[in-house]
Amino acid sequence: MSSVIAFVGLGHMGGPMAANLVKAGHRVIGYDLVDDSLAAAAAAGVERAASAAGAAKDADVVITMLPAGRHVLALYQDQGLLAAARPGTLFVDCSTIDVADARAAHEAAVAAGHRALDAPVSGGVMGAEAATLTFMAGGGEAEFAEAEPLLSAMGKKAVHCGSAGAGQAAKICNNMILGISMIAVSEAFVLGESLGLSHQALFDVASTASGQCWALTVNCPVPGPVPGSPAGRDYRPGFAAPLMAKDLGLAANAIREGGVDAALGLSAAALYEAFAEGPGAEQDFSGIVRAIRERSVRPADQTGTPA
Ligand code: NAD
C-alpha cells in the first residue's frame, strides 16, 4: 500500500533513502535546511516542501534522518513538527542519537497524540543508495509492523529490538563492539610488526582462529590480506572515523548514565575522539592503526639509537 511520507533531513543518508521510497511507489514530501540537498532529492522524485512542518501536515508517516538528538528534539518540539502533523501520525526517527534523546523524542510524540519508532541504521551511504541498510527498531509491535514495508523499501533487514530507545541501544552496543575490535586488531598488527611477524602470517592465523572478527576479515586495517579493505586505498572511507567517534561518544554517555563498568568502551571512545579530531578526520576508522603505530616506541628508540 502506498503512503504519504514526510522525509526531513535529506543529506548523505536521507537523500538516497527518500529516493528509494519514491522508487517503491510512495509519495514523498521532503525538507532539508540545505537547498542543494533538497534539489538533489527533488531530481529523484521527492516533492519539495517549504518547511519541515509543511512536509508533515499531510503525511501518514514522518521520517527524520538528522545529525544528532538535539536536532530531532528541536524539530519535533520548537520547530513545530509534532504540532503540524495529523493526530496519530507515525514518527520514525532513523538518525543515530542518544538513547535518552530517543526516549524523550518518543515521549514527546506520544504526548502530542502521535506514535513513534526509533529506527537507526547500519550500512552507510552505499547501503542507503543500494537499499541494503539494516534497521534496528525500538517501539511498539504495531508501530514496527506499520513501518516495516517502508523500512524494507530502504533496506534489506529490519530487527524489532524492543520498546522506545531499543533500536538506538542496539546500534551503539554493536558499534562499541566494532570500535573496540578494530583497536584490538590494529594493536595486534602493530605488536606483530614489532615482533617481526608479517601481516599476512598474522592474518592467516587469526582469521581462522579465535581472533577472527569483522574488523579483521572484512575491514582489515593493514593493506594486503583483504583486497578491497579501506587500507588498500589509503584509508578512504568506508566508515569514516568521525562517525565511529560519534557512535562511541553515544555509547560512552550511556555507559556513564547506566554506571556500567565498560573500561574498553570508554577507552575506545577516547581513542577515536582524538583520532577523528586529528589525522582521522577524513579517514576510514581502520586508519587508527597508523595512529597506534606512530605512537609506538620501537626498541631502537628506547635505547636512544635512531630508529
Ligand atoms: P548529513 O549531515 O549528510 O545529513 C543530515 C541532514 O540533516 C543535512 O542535510 C542537514 O541539512 C539536515 N538538517 C539538520 N537539521 C535540520 C532541520 N532542522 N531541518 C531540516 N534538515 C535538517 O548526515 P548523514 O551522513 O546523512 O547522517 C544522518 C544520520 O545518520 C546521523 O545521525 C548519522 O550518525 C547516521 N548514520 C550515518 C551513516 C553514514 O555513513 N553517513 C551511517 C549510519 C548512520
Side-chain angles (χ1 to χ4, degrees):
M1 203 180 74
S2 106
S3 308
V4 179
I5 301 160
F7 206 117
V8 183
L10 299 163
H12 292 100
M13 296 293 289
M17 289 165 71
N20 283 327
L21 289 169
V22 172
K23 274 188 212 153
H26 300 289
R27 182 177 166 213
V28 183
I29 308 166
Y31 180 69
D32 195 289
L33 294 175
V34 176
D35 204 55
D36 282 354
S37 302
L38 201 46
V46 173
E47 293 175 35
R48 296 173 72 128
S51 66
K57 69 182 174 39
D58 297 322
D60 305 311
V61 179
V62 176
I63 300 179
T64 40
M65 193 52 164
L66 300 166
R70 65 179 187 282
H71 302 99
V72 177
L73 290 170
L75 193 64
Y76 273 25
Q77 295 170 310
D78 312 339
Q79 292 159 39
L81 200 63
L82 296 176
R86 294 190 306 238
T89 298
L90 178 60
F91 279 75
V92 180
D93 179 39
C94 294
S95 330
T96 303
I97 67 175
D98 253 317
V99 177
D101 287 344
R103 291 186 178 140
H106 188 103
E107 275 170 27
V110 171
H114 302 303
R115 296 164 307 126
L117 203 66
D118 50 291
V121 304
S122 126
V125 176
M126 277 165 63
E129 286 168 350
T132 56
L133 294 170
T134 296
F135 288 87
M136 296 146 257
E141 291 282 356
E143 285 73 18
F144 179 68
E146 189 176 328
E148 207 179 9
L150 304 181
L151 305 183
S152 302
M154 299 183 282
K156 65 174 180 351
K157 190 175 169 78
V159 181
H160 186 205
C161 300
S163 57
Q168 297 293 347
K171 164 95 186 169
I172 61 172
C173 289
N174 177 72
N175 280 18
M176 186 175 84
I177 297 172
L178 178 60
I180 292 171
S181 58
M182 181 54 81
I183 292 169
V185 169
S186 298
E187 288 185 356
F189 273 114
V190 175
L191 176 61
E193 289 166 10
S194 86
L195 296 170
L197 184 63
S198 77
H199 292 160
Q200 192 64 47
L202 176 56
F203 179 85
D204 288 346
V205 172
S207 63
T208 53
S210 43
Q212 188 275 333
C213 60
W214 190 92
L216 176 71
T217 58
V218 178
N219 217 78
C220 187
V222 293
V226 178
S229 85
R233 49 173 198 269
D234 201 26
Y235 298 95
R236 280 199 312 282
F239 182 41
L243 287 171
M244 174 52 88
K246 174 193 168 180
D247 292 357
L248 286 169
L250 297 177
N253 291 345
I255 288 167
R256 292 192 193 98
E257 276 163 25
V260 177
D261 183 10
L264 293 185
L266 293 177
S267 289
L271 287 167
Y272 268 107
E273 188 184 358
F275 180 57
E277 281 172 1
E282 313 251 313
Q283 288 180 28
D284 185 74
F285 79 118
S286 59
I288 201 159
V289 70
R290 296 205 282 208
I292 294 167
R293 189 181 291 120
E294 277 160 23
R295 282 197 300 268
S296 299
V297 180
R298 285 174 284 172
D301 299 335
Q302 286 167 339
T303 60
T305 313

